[in-house]
Amino acid sequence: MLISTQCGHAQPVRVHLRYRRAEAYAVTLEIDVDRRLHRWQLERELVTLGLSQPSGGQLLRIRPLAADWTLLDLPEGTEGRLLLIASSDLRVFLSRTLRIVPVGDEGNAIDWDAELRDLVP
């Protein structure tokens, strides 16, 4: 993966995508930039849509750049704003998440009782 730097150059970065059954709607994106870890929770559906069409909102946008590349426009304040990821890597990752929790079953994978307990002090 490549990320743009503040001076407009691109540098390779280590990116980790994580998926947990307990957070079935979300994908965690972690980027290590200059020994600083940046972490975002992304909707799995947003990442899936971003492979074929522009998606997202003000905070984060994702879109296909070409057939082989996907571009993530990260939030303001991030040291590198643009992250270029191989679309094939995203597809492989997403297919693995679908084996864990298929689309439409996300609500069944969440322990709603535990979530409610966390809301009440």
Side-chain angles (χ1 to χ4, degrees):
M1 286 56 157
L2 295 172
I3 195 163
S4 66
T5 62
Q6 290 179 348
C7 59
H9 296 98
Q11 74 179 48
V13 291
R14 184 173 306 262
V15 173
H16 298 280
L17 290 167
R18 301 189 197 290
Y19 183 75
R20 295 181 43 224
R21 182 176 182 79
E23 296 174 349
Y25 290 103
V27 170
T28 301
L29 171 72
E30 296 177 340
I31 304 171
D32 186 357
V33 180
D34 297 328
R35 297 185 180 145
R36 288 185 53 206
L37 187 65
H38 301 270
R39 181 178 294 139
W40 296 273
Q41 292 281 95
L42 311 174
E43 292 178 42
R44 180 171 67 170
E45 183 179 359
L46 173 86
V47 177
T48 302
L49 284 172
L51 286 167
S52 61
Q53 65 189 38
S55 59
Q58 291 180 334
L59 293 180
L60 184 135
R61 292 182 299 277
I62 181 171
R63 65 181 171 92
L65 186 60
D68 298 334
W69 298 100
T70 301
L71 184 69
L72 276 81
D73 186 354
L74 302 170
E76 289 286 340
T78 305
E79 289 181 29
R81 289 260 345 253
L82 301 174
L83 178 67
L84 188 63
I85 299 179
S87 298
S88 59
D89 290 344
L90 279 178
R91 284 188 187 93
V92 167
F93 172 77
L94 289 169
S95 70
R96 290 178 182 159
T97 72
L98 293 173
R99 280 185 254 144
I100 298 169
V101 179
V103 171
D105 287 351
E106 294 93 348
N108 299 330
I110 296 172
D111 182 349
W112 292 108
D113 290 333
E115 293 295 323
L116 289 172
R117 279 192 302 274
D118 289 343
L119 291 175
V120 179

